[in-house]
Amino acid sequence: MNMQHSMTHDQIARTRLEALRCEHRDLDEAIAALQGQQLTSSLALQRLKKQKLSLKDRIARLEDELTPDIIA
């Protein structure tokens, strides 16, 4: 028997959204840890912050996609 387990677009988006949020939290912790060190590479810190902003943008786009448009 060939059973296909298919997820809807919303389910896939919600799963991806949760993964992005988790990755964003991990980056936040990594940035905080680097900032606490005295010999921190500013370039490494800059890259992590840029990656975190990129994730934030992707999270916002997914949230917008999942939020239904409400006409007031």
Side-chain angles (χ1 to χ4, degrees), residues 5-60:
H5 295 285
S6 61
M7 296 174 67
T8 66
H9 175 73
D10 279 1
Q11 289 171 324
I12 293 169
R14 289 181 199 287
T15 300
R16 184 66 185 139
L17 182 60
E18 186 55 38
L20 289 174
R21 285 178 176 155
C22 183
E23 191 175 344
H24 188 267
R25 280 190 302 272
D26 291 345
L27 277 173
D28 205 25
E29 291 172 7
I31 289 168
L34 274 178
Q35 287 175 331
Q37 297 176 358
Q38 290 180 357
L39 301 175
T40 301
S41 164
S42 63
L43 184 59
L45 197 54
Q46 233 176 350
R47 286 180 179 166
L48 286 176
K49 286 182 177 184
K50 187 174 180 178
Q51 188 177 358
K52 184 179 168 192
L53 282 173
S54 174
L55 280 173
K56 185 177 178 182
D57 290 342
R58 290 168 59 192
I59 289 168

